[in-house]
Structures are given as structure tokens and as C-alpha cells.
Amino acid sequence: TIYANSCHGLSNSVARAFLISTGGELDLPIWLKNLCMFGNTEGVDSSSTGGLFAQHRVSGVENSRNAADPAGLIRVFMEFGRLEDACDIVIDVLSSKNYEASSNRLPEKGNIDYVPYDLIDTLWNTIEAVASSDVDTSVDIAMLLKKRGQMENALKRHFESLKTSEEGLQSARALSYS
């Protein structure tokens, strides 16, 4: 869209307004959820992305920022008690195709993957509090715990990938110095 790159946070503001207008009862449209998670991928320069939860730059546009802010969308979902949806964001972003190429990116060139671990911890603890609460809620606890388990598995794969990437980078550095 024409406005997708012009105002950082606009897509999350639209998502929040949508949830307010529907009382948090309806799911976000897929196009809006994808815009909040991955932004407008048209013209995104993959060599200058921060990866995962970080903002992306649009090639040819100075000081541009992509509309993607998955961490902000997690906060919006948590604000409305949509914890399963928040888990889905973590799972989807950590499992995205852009992430698969992260092992080819070098930290020396500024290519790092930002993951808001503190926000994920807050989500985890919120789910734990809801699951252990005696208050009768309309939340399906079994499904919520299942989503949390899927999020945990995505995080495990993320950490395994980081370990593999770091070992590969160490080998590459050792070979380049010999």
C-alpha cells in the first residue's frame, strides 16, 4: 500500500483500532496481520534487514522503515487478552522464510536478529498466570498451553539455529585467517 512505509506503527494502530471496534472478538484480517508481522515486502532490501522482529529498510528510500512491527502486534494482542494470537506471532516470525537465510548473514556487517526475549517472557508468564488462575474465564486453557508449547518449540529451533550459525561463523573465521 502507499502508506505502508510512511508511518512506522500505523499498521499496529489500525490493528488496535480494529480490535477496539470489534470488542476484540474478531480475528484481524490476514492482510493486516501479515502487514504488521512482515510489513510491505515490496522493495525491501534483504541485505539491510535487521531480521526477525527488527524493522526493515526499503531499497532506494532514504531513512525508510517498513511497517513491520511484530513485537508491537504481540503487545496489541496481549492488551486484548488474545494470548494464542500473540503466541502465533512469535511462532510465525521465528519460522519465517527470511529467518532461514539468517545463517548466511554476518554480524560483522550489522546483520543481527533482534528477538524481544523480555516480551516473550512476559507472554509466557501471562499464560502461566492465566492457566494457574482459579478465575473462570472463557479462555480454552488446553489450547492456550498447546500454543505455548508450540512457541517453546519455535524458540528451541531458534536457539539451535543460533548455535549452528555461530559454529559455522567460527569455522569460516578460522579458515579465513589461515
Side-chain angles (χ1 to χ4, degrees):
T1 66
I2 190 169
Y3 300 105
N5 299 317
S6 56
C7 181
H8 178 68
L10 178 62
S11 58
N12 283 338
S13 295
V14 171
R16 176 176 278 112
F18 178 88
L19 291 172
I20 289 170
S21 70
T22 63
E25 297 297 318
L26 295 179
D27 292 336
L28 290 181
I30 293 171
W31 66 266
L32 180 56
K33 185 176 175 184
N34 286 338
L35 183 63
C36 292
M37 287 192 314
F38 304 112
N40 181 6
T41 57
E42 186 177 315
V44 172
D45 180 5
S46 61
S47 67
S48 66
T49 64
L52 296 179
F53 291 86
Q55 297 174 16
H56 303 278
R57 300 213 182 282
V58 178
S59 59
V61 180
E62 193 172 325
N63 296 325
S64 70
R65 288 187 290 180
N66 194 310
D69 183 7
L73 185 57
I74 291 170
R75 287 183 191 93
V76 169
F77 280 142
M78 289 177 67
E79 176 184 335
F80 285 88
R82 298 184 62 110
L83 302 178
E84 290 177 32
D85 290 330
C87 287
D88 283 338
I89 300 302
V90 174
I91 294 164
D92 289 347
V93 172
L94 290 179
S95 303
S96 68
K97 289 185 178 183
N98 292 340
Y99 178 59
E100 292 171 7
S102 66
S103 60
N104 298 330
R105 298 177 321 127
L106 297 173
E108 292 90 349
K109 294 185 177 183
N111 296 322
I112 60 169
D113 287 326
Y114 167 69
V115 178
Y117 297 114
D118 58 337
L119 180 59
I120 295 170
D121 284 342
T122 302
L123 175 59
W124 183 280
N125 293 334
T126 303
I127 292 170
E128 186 65 31
V130 168
S132 63
S133 173
D134 292 336
V135 177
D136 185 30
T137 64
S138 61
V139 176
D140 181 354
I141 301 297
M143 183 55 128
L144 186 57
L145 293 175
K146 180 180 176 184
K147 286 288 184 182
R148 187 180 74 174
Q150 292 171 351
M151 182 176 71
E152 180 180 10
N153 289 334
L155 284 164
K156 285 179 183 177
R157 287 190 304 273
H158 165 70
F159 290 131
E160 288 168 6
S161 177
L162 287 178
K163 182 178 177 186
T164 302
S165 295
E166 184 58 31
E167 289 171 355
L169 287 173
Q170 288 175 351
S171 296
R173 288 179 188 125
L175 289 173
S176 69
Y177 290 123
S178 46

